[in-house]
Amino acid sequence: MPPLFKIPNFVHFWIGQIASSFAFQMLSVGIGWQMYDLTNSPMALGLVGLCQFLPQLLLTLIVGHVADRYNRRLICVCTRFSMAITVGILAYGNMTSSISADMIYICAALLGTTRAFEIPANQAILPNLIPSELLSRAVSAIASAREISVIAGPALGGLIYLLGPTTLYLSSMSCFLMSCVIMFFLHYNFTVKSKSPISMKHLFGGLSFIRGNKVILGSVSLDMFAVLLGGATALLPIVAKDILHTGPWGLGLLRCAPALGALFMSVYLARHPLTHSVGKIMFVAVAIFGIATILFGLSENLILSMFALVLLGSSDMISVVIRSTLVQLETPDEMRGRVSAANSVFIGSSNQLGEFESGVTAAWFGVVPAIIIGGVGTIAVVGVWTYLFPSLLKRDTLDKENH
């Protein structure tokens, strides 16, 4: 671990990630609680996730091209500044008592648009900052930075919300601006390695690369369908208020519980990188994710619910590290923007679209049945994927040269 944190650029990047993730996680608590408070509708919570996901889906080809052709550091700076402005709109809406569900939907769509450009550029920078042999540890360290903010962000966000949503949104905006400044001073020399003319083949290059690599396709699709079915984070405001009978502080604790498990696991993996049987480990981790989801759905106790979410977060982190490392190691640098953009669609599907799916199933069947059905579906996906992607199941190491 010490060699990794002796690299100044990586440390700089790592701190910027904490600030940005801290801002977004606090914002998620505020938007979720305020939307449910305004509408009392599970469907409304799901629509917030859909508003964030659709721009990412529609802009996939464009944002990948932008990340491969233009300075990735400046893309991150501009997008994080745009997110700060968007959160400022929410703060203004609360200060003037003009906040509404429609305003939140519009701002969610704006956030989804800016994140669509930020995610592939941000992911494609990392391999250029460190030696390839440290990439697995770096992915774990970046994940730990994100989870630190995910733990502190929702918990603090729930407490700040007690002072009013305006205070929460202004706090989130400040963190986005801080991350923007940090990224502006990051030392990063970007050069365009491919100047081929823009064509449909070029724009679809990321999707074509993933489709042609069974290991990458299997890992990203397994993670997508598992979290799409098993992710219940969109329902946390309902679980906190109607099942566990707690307030915003309880919602903050529930939101930070998965991050706590993910943090412990990311720190462990940063110090003890996976070296063998990574395919089998990934399948087992996703199965545990499904089991933890079912346990969470059955729980009516805050402590037990938090335990289930800690287990869920730690198992998900194993899958995230394996998938992210495989994608970065097996992708040429001149294609990382487009591949990362395509990969972000899978991630977005499992998160934002998963929130929409959870909202719909909760509206149809009820909150508890929706969560349990999702967990069972996750376990079923693991069984099907072992048959569809045997090369992923048999994958021994992360390094493509040694498998």
Side-chain angles (χ1 to χ4, degrees), residues 133-150:
E133 60 269 19
L134 293 177
L135 184 59
S136 177
R137 290 188 174 187
V139 170
S140 298
I142 291 296
S144 69
R146 182 178 64 250
E147 302 310 331
I148 287 172
S149 57
V150 171

Side-chain angles (χ1 to χ4, degrees), residues 25 30 42 60 98 164 168 175 192 245 255 279 302 305 308 327 370:
Q25 294 304 322
T60 300
S98 60
L168 175 62
C175 289
V192 178
H245 307 292
R255 280 199 176 275
L302 179 60
S305 295
V327 169

Side-chain angles (χ1 to χ4, degrees), residues 54-239:
L54 283 180
Q56 187 173 321
L57 176 63
L58 297 175
L59 294 170
T60 300
L61 302 180
I62 297 174
V63 300
H65 166 74
V66 170
D68 281 336
R69 289 295 182 93
Y70 301 98
N71 192 305
R72 295 162 181 167
R73 177 182 62 85
L74 292 180
I75 294 173
C76 290
V77 170
C78 293
T79 53
R80 291 177 187 178
F81 181 76
S82 298
M83 284 187 272
I85 297 299
T86 303
V87 179
I89 294 174
L90 291 172
Y92 176 79
N94 280 276
M95 285 187 289
T96 58
S97 299
S98 60
I99 192 72
S100 65
D102 289 339
M103 180 180 289
I104 294 177
Y105 288 140
I106 292 172
C107 288
L110 291 174
L111 288 169
T113 301
T114 52
R115 280 176 62 81
F117 282 92
E118 185 221 13
I119 291 173
N122 188 61
Q123 292 178 347
I125 286 178
L126 184 58
N128 300 127
L129 301 179
I130 57 170
S132 60
E133 60 269 19
L134 293 177
L135 184 59
S136 177
R137 290 188 174 187
V139 170
S140 298
I142 291 296
S144 69
R146 182 178 64 250
E147 302 310 331
I148 287 172
S149 57
V150 171
I151 291 171
L156 184 58
L159 293 175
I160 294 176
Y161 194 90
L162 296 176
L163 302 176
T166 300
T167 305
L168 175 62
Y169 293 137
L170 289 176
S171 300
S172 175
M173 183 178 69
S174 299
C175 289
F176 274 128
L177 291 174
M178 182 186 304
S179 176
C180 180
V181 172
I182 291 172
M183 286 298 294
F184 182 80
F185 290 103
L186 176 71
H187 296 291
Y188 169 70
N189 296 319
F190 176 75
T191 56
V192 178
K193 296 185 178 181
S194 174
K195 295 185 178 180
S196 57
I198 300 176
S199 63
M200 293 305 293
K201 181 178 180 180
H202 175 82
L203 293 177
F204 278 94
L207 291 171
S208 299
F209 182 85
I210 292 177
R211 184 181 61 184
N213 189 309
K214 294 299 182 182
V215 170
I216 293 182
L217 178 61
S219 63
V220 297
S221 60
L222 173 64
D223 186 78
M224 181 191 75
F225 281 106
V227 181
L228 173 64
L229 294 171
T233 55
L235 303 178
L236 288 182
I238 305 174
V239 172

Side-chain angles (χ1 to χ4, degrees), residues 270-291:
R271 294 182 175 275
H272 307 281
L274 297 173
T275 56
H276 297 289
S277 302
V278 295
K280 293 178 181 177
I281 290 173
M282 184 174 187
F283 278 102
V284 171
V286 176
I288 294 175
F289 181 91
I291 294 172

Side-chain angles (χ1 to χ4, degrees), residues 290-373:
I291 294 172
T293 300
I294 295 173
L295 178 61
F296 175 70
L298 294 172
S299 173
E300 296 181 356
N301 177 273
L302 179 60
I303 301 300
L304 180 59
S305 295
M306 290 181 63
F307 170 77
L309 291 174
V310 168
L311 180 62
L312 183 149
S314 60
S315 58
D316 184 51
M317 178 52 60
I318 297 174
S319 174
V320 168
V321 170
I322 293 175
R323 183 199 69 226
S324 299
T325 306
L326 286 174
V327 169
Q328 297 289 13
L329 284 178
E330 301 216 353
T331 305
D333 184 62
E334 62 271 16
M335 291 188 64
R336 283 198 176 110
R338 283 165 289 162
V339 171
S340 294
N343 184 39
S344 70
V345 173
F346 287 91
I347 298 172
S349 297
S350 62
N351 292 322
Q352 281 78 41
L353 192 56
E355 291 180 5
F356 176 67
E357 178 272 336
S358 296
V360 171
T361 54
W364 286 350
F365 306 112
V367 175
V368 172
I371 296 173
I372 295 175
I373 290 171

